[in-house]
Amino acid sequence: MAFVAATVVGSLQSVRLGQSGTFCSRSSAAALTSARNAAFGFEVSRISFFGKSARFEASNLPVAVSFSVSAALTTPTAPATKADYLAVKKALEASLPDIAHDDGSRGPVLIRLAWHAAGTWDPHSKTGGSDGSTMRYAPEAQMGANAGLDIARDYLEPIKKQFPWITYADLWSLAGVVAVEAMGGPTIPWRAGRSDDPSPATCPPDGRLPDASKKSDHLRAIFGRMGFTDQEIVALSGAHAVGRCHTDRSGWDGPWTLTPTKFTNDYFEQLINNTWTLKNWAGPPQYEDPTGKLMMLPSDMALIEDPEMKKYVEEYAKDEKLFFRHFATAFGKLLELGVEFPKWSFFVQ
């Protein structure tokens, strides 16, 4: 056996097979695992992952062979321009209205997809995060916290077919950004260049996403792992201004606000100004307002029970522009955690 090294050059993956034990970028993995060369009779096999890199072994290898393969699903290619990504944004925005989905917009579930794909990042093991789009694989897709996100992923398949060059990792995160902006929220800083991992071997373990049944200590542990402050935790929680819970997914039920397809600071206004009591029902613990139309989760209530977090809730309830500014910064940060952007990466607004 010998090792395989690979680099990405322009729109092609230029791969040299030799006796060196060097590493290749994970973005070349899908192309290499299926590589065959009848003329020389070599075969690539056995992938071993090391953080964000991978090592391959090749059998029947000549002294040295060089060849190129077309860019695989795993790597966005440098010739994709800002105009290309703007075309994807336009298609995503056009796809959001859907009278058959919840309150008439796919936006909230796409934000949740982007959030959950990114919120698994662990800086200690260098695993998880939006880079890799590992929720395509069963170990991550079947996690309880991701229940119902197959709907969001399916919604995006026609966009992927229309723009096959974009990676799922870029598509999912960009969809969340477009959804926030299209529903009236702030402009989110977003840049291109995420890659798709070729196997479920890199799926993060369960338990890295927030558990909405728990309180502020849990929130600090989960978000703190990723480097977020109390202020950023509260700002990110403001995404609950949109969407709703479903009994057939999370077990909870109902929207947080009366405008679940509009990105506003109403979530914070409801937390501060409404009255919340524990709901008497057969489902998991949640809170309801006097009308029974709105709900809050235990993790939502934690934001006003914890004095350090409550002060940010109060600030955002009074100042939507401040909330928008802080949310844009925190959400943009979340979507980039652990991403090794290529040199050609650029911001798309």
Side-chain angles (χ1 to χ4, degrees):
M1 287 289 186
F3 296 115
V4 180
T7 56
V8 177
V9 180
S11 62
L12 295 178
Q13 293 171 339
S14 177
V15 183
R16 173 173 293 277
L17 303 181
Q19 301 298 324
S20 63
T22 54
F23 295 101
C24 71
S25 72
R26 183 177 292 182
S27 60
S28 302
L32 286 174
T33 53
S34 61
R36 300 285 188 276
N37 189 312
F40 294 102
F42 66 82
E43 182 172 320
V44 175
S45 60
R46 292 191 60 186
I47 310 175
S48 299
F49 290 100
F50 300 83
K52 288 291 182 181
S53 296
R55 183 169 66 181
F56 302 81
E57 293 184 357
S59 58
N60 303 321
L61 192 67
V63 174
V65 179
S66 292
F67 67 100
S68 293
V69 294
S70 60
L73 287 175
T74 54
T75 305
T77 57
T81 64
K82 287 186 180 181
D84 294 324
Y85 282 94
L86 288 173
V88 177
K89 288 190 70 173
K90 185 177 180 180
L92 284 167
E93 185 170 359
S95 74
L96 294 182
D98 183 354
I99 194 171
H101 181 81
D102 282 354
D103 302 288
S105 174
R106 298 175 176 180
V109 75
L110 294 181
I111 295 174
R112 181 169 169 246
L113 173 64
W115 207 117
H116 282 220
T120 57
W121 170 246
D122 174 46
H124 304 293
S125 62
K126 307 287 186 192
T127 58
S130 65
D131 204 24
S133 61
T134 49
M135 205 189 301
R136 290 173 293 134
Y137 303 114
E140 187 171 351
Q142 294 174 359
M143 292 177 184
N146 293 331
L149 287 179
D150 56 315
I151 296 171
R153 297 192 299 272
D154 289 346
Y155 280 157
L156 295 177
E157 278 304 310
I159 307 293
K160 174 64 174 173
K161 290 179 181 178
Q162 184 179 354
F163 304 95
W165 50 266
I166 193 171
T167 62
Y168 281 101
D170 266 353
L171 180 60
W172 292 356
S173 60
L174 184 57
V177 165
V178 170
V180 170
E181 296 172 0
M183 289 189 290
T187 298
I188 310 296
W190 184 89
R191 56 175 164 164
R194 293 164 187 77
S195 61
D196 291 333
D197 284 356
S199 86
T202 55
C203 286
D206 201 356
R208 289 187 181 178
L209 292 168
D211 182 342
S213 70
K214 296 186 178 180
K215 297 291 187 173
S216 58
D217 287 348
H218 170 76
L219 294 177
R220 287 191 176 99
I222 293 294
F223 285 91
R225 183 197 72 231
M226 298 183 284
F228 288 108
T229 64
D230 281 0
Q231 174 256 306
E232 291 171 315
I233 294 171
V234 177
L236 287 170
S237 298
H240 283 173
V242 298
R244 63 172 58 237
C245 289
H246 305 77
T247 55
D248 60 344
R249 301 174 199 175
S250 64
W252 292 293
D253 184 55
W256 291 267
T257 72
L258 293 172
T259 54
T261 62
K262 293 183 179 180
F263 199 97
T264 68
N265 69 334
D266 191 45
Y267 167 74
F268 300 110
E269 292 184 352
Q270 293 293 344
L271 269 174
I272 292 294
N273 299 324
N274 212 331
T275 300
W276 300 99
T277 57
L278 195 63
K279 183 176 182 177
N280 182 19
W281 74 319
Q286 69 177 66
Y287 296 79
E288 63 180 358
D289 75 337
T291 69
K293 294 180 179 179
L294 301 181
M295 69 93 206
M296 290 288 170
L297 303 173
S299 61
D300 298 312
M301 298 303 293
L303 303 185
I304 56 175
E305 294 166 350
D306 186 293
E308 290 302 310
M309 292 185 173
K310 184 178 180 179
K311 65 183 181 182
Y312 298 113
V313 175
E314 292 173 334
E315 287 181 7
Y316 296 150
K318 296 176 182 177
D319 191 339
E320 186 176 72
K321 289 183 179 179
L322 178 67
F323 162 53
F324 276 17
R325 186 165 69 250
H326 287 178
F327 179 85
T329 300
F331 195 54
K333 172 181 173 179
L334 174 68
L335 297 181
E336 290 194 3
L337 292 177
V339 181
E340 296 180 355
F341 288 102
K343 290 182 178 180
W344 60 261
S345 178
F346 44 73
F347 281 91
V348 179
Q349 298 296 342

